[in-house]
């Protein structure tokens, strides 16, 4: 087995061309350098250096080993640097669970930011709805959740979690182009009481937002079709299957052929998005840069 410290000596001798100069650079005695070179030759089974009137030069076998020495010592330097960064909290992996539009809205932009501000931090993303991501944090399956406020969610002062507000966005009404309210500037929710509805499944935080908004308008929505994918919700509305409320960011990049999108008259239902970590972890040197990057990305939405 070749010892790495002897490779350092071989490289120093190759660079300085004399044992005395190499010894001075390594803060060793010339005798110690000669002993280590002899031991390295014994380890490799090859003569590595030749001494002459003009100093020391490497043999062909020594040149071969020197080429590998550069690669080996460079990799060891990288290992030491990475371990040092890990020890100081500047390098490591942070797992983030977030719903699909949250990934597009803040997680992906945060990852771009981190490549410049904290390149040692690697983000691993898992797609999960808000009602699933918070338990994943509490169960230590992930480090950070990007979630939505919903009925039954742990409150902001929950002693188990630390909340970081990110952004809030309104829901817009999506109705077929043939709908009686398609030409209105704003859609009063109460006017949709008798329409069939399309929306997320119960348990999805957005389902709660829609139901609560309709209840506040004085009716219980009649959910005819259910999907957690808002592209599917919009497609069904375009097929004249019903009406829907959709978060504004979820409409970006969605095919809106066959539907019209209108603001809700009055106080619009709102999706409030936040990041959550286990309480006490918010200042972890790996997690804090991620939360800061998420917050910065949210400020640009």
């Amino acid at each position: 087995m070749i010892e790495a410290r002897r490779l350092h000596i071989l490289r120093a001798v190759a660079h300085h061309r004399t044992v005395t100069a190499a010894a001075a650079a390594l803060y060793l005695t010339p005798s110690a350098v000669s002993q280590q070179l002899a031991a390295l030759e014994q380890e490799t089974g090859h003569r590595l250096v030749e001494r002459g009137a003009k100093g020391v030069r490497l043999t062909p076998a020594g040149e071969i080993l020197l080429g590998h020495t550069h690669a080996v010592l460079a990799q060891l330097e990288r290992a030491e640097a990475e371990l040092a960064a890990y020890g100081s909290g500047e390098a490591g992996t942070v797992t983030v669970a977030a719903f699909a539009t949250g990934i597009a809205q803040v997680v992906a932009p945060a990852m771009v930011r981190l490549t410049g501000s904290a390149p040692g931090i690697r983000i691993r993303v898992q797609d999960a709805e808000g009602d699933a991501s918070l338990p994943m944090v509490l169960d230590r399956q992930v480090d950070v959740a990007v979630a939505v406020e919903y009925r039954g969610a742990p409150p902001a002062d929950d002693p188990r979690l630390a909340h970081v507000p990110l952004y809030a966005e309104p829901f817009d009404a999506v109705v077929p182009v043939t709908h009686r309210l398609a030409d209105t500037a704003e859609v009063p929710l109460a006017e949709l009481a008798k329409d069939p509805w399309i929306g997320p499944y119960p348990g999805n935080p957005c389902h709660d937002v829609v139901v609560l908004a309709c209840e506040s308008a004085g009716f219980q929505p009649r959910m005819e079709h259910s999907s957690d994918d808002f592209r599917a919700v919009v497609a069904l509305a375009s097929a004249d299957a019903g009406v829907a409320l959709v978060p504004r960011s979820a409409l970006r990049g969605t095919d809106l052929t066959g539907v019209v999108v209108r603001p809700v008259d009055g106080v619009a239902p709102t999706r409030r998005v936040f990041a959550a970590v286990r309480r006490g972890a918010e200042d972890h040197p790996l997690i804090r840069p991620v939360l800061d990057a998420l917050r910065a990305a949210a400020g640009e939405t």
Side-chain angles (χ1 to χ4, degrees), residues 89-90 92-96 114 121 123 137 140 142-145 162 164 275-295:
E90 296 174 356
T93 299
V94 176
T95 305
V96 178
L114 287 168
I121 297 178
I123 302 295
V137 169
R140 297 183 173 274
V142 300
D143 301 304
V144 181
V164 177
V277 300
R278 291 180 292 279
R279 190 170 292 277
E282 63 272 24
D283 290 323
H284 188 285
L286 286 179
I287 292 176
R288 170 52 58 191
V290 175
L291 294 177
D292 290 344
L294 288 170
R295 190 157 38 198

Side-chain angles (χ1 to χ4, degrees), residues 26-295:
L26 296 170
Y27 299 97
L28 297 172
T29 65
S31 175
V33 168
S34 295
Q35 290 173 8
Q36 293 298 319
L37 285 175
L40 184 59
E41 289 180 329
Q42 186 173 3
E43 286 174 344
T44 60
H46 292 279
R47 187 179 180 188
L48 302 174
V49 297
E50 291 180 342
R51 292 171 174 83
K54 295 183 178 180
V56 176
R57 67 179 182 86
L58 299 187
T59 65
E63 292 288 353
I64 291 172
L65 183 57
L66 181 64
H68 289 287
T69 293
H70 294 320
V72 169
L73 295 183
Q75 189 61 40
L76 287 174
E77 290 285 354
R78 284 191 286 270
E80 289 178 4
E82 189 170 337
L83 286 170
Y86 177 79
S88 63
E90 296 174 356
T93 299
V94 176
T95 305
V96 178
F99 55 98
T101 50
I103 293 173
Q105 194 86 346
V106 293
V107 177
M111 293 173 70
V112 174
R113 284 179 169 273
L114 287 168
T115 59
S117 62
I121 297 178
R122 175 173 175 260
I123 302 295
R124 181 180 295 128
V125 180
Q126 296 185 25
D127 189 335
E129 293 298 337
D131 58 322
S133 62
L134 292 177
M136 290 169 73
V137 169
L138 291 172
D139 292 341
R140 297 183 173 274
Q141 298 175 31
V142 300
D143 301 304
V144 181
V146 175
V148 179
E149 292 180 1
Y150 62 96
R151 284 191 290 193
D157 60 353
D158 190 295
R160 301 170 299 169
L161 294 169
H163 284 225
V164 177
L166 294 179
Y167 65 93
E169 63 174 327
F171 281 62
D172 290 324
V174 178
V175 301
V177 291
T178 56
H179 194 274
R180 63 189 181 281
L181 299 178
D183 294 329
T184 60
E186 296 181 334
V187 173
L189 283 186
E191 296 294 320
L192 301 177
K194 295 183 179 179
D195 284 89
W197 278 74
I198 312 158
Y201 284 100
N204 185 312
C206 290
H207 175 89
D208 288 342
V209 174
V210 171
V211 171
L212 284 172
C214 293
E215 288 176 350
S216 297
F219 70 98
Q220 193 75 20
R222 178 166 53 91
M223 289 291 179
E224 289 285 335
H225 310 281
S226 297
S227 175
D228 288 335
D229 186 334
F230 285 113
R231 292 170 300 179
V233 170
V234 172
L236 288 168
S238 71
D240 205 14
V243 299
L245 289 175
V246 177
R248 189 164 291 172
S249 66
L251 294 169
R252 294 174 187 167
T254 301
D255 184 1
L256 301 178
T257 303
V259 300
V260 294
V261 178
R262 297 288 183 263
V264 172
D265 185 28
V267 179
T270 301
R271 173 162 76 170
R272 302 187 186 280
V273 180
F274 62 93
V277 300
R278 291 180 292 279
R279 190 170 292 277
E282 63 272 24
D283 290 323
H284 188 285
L286 286 179
I287 292 176
R288 170 52 58 191
V290 175
L291 294 177
D292 290 344
L294 288 170
R295 190 157 38 198

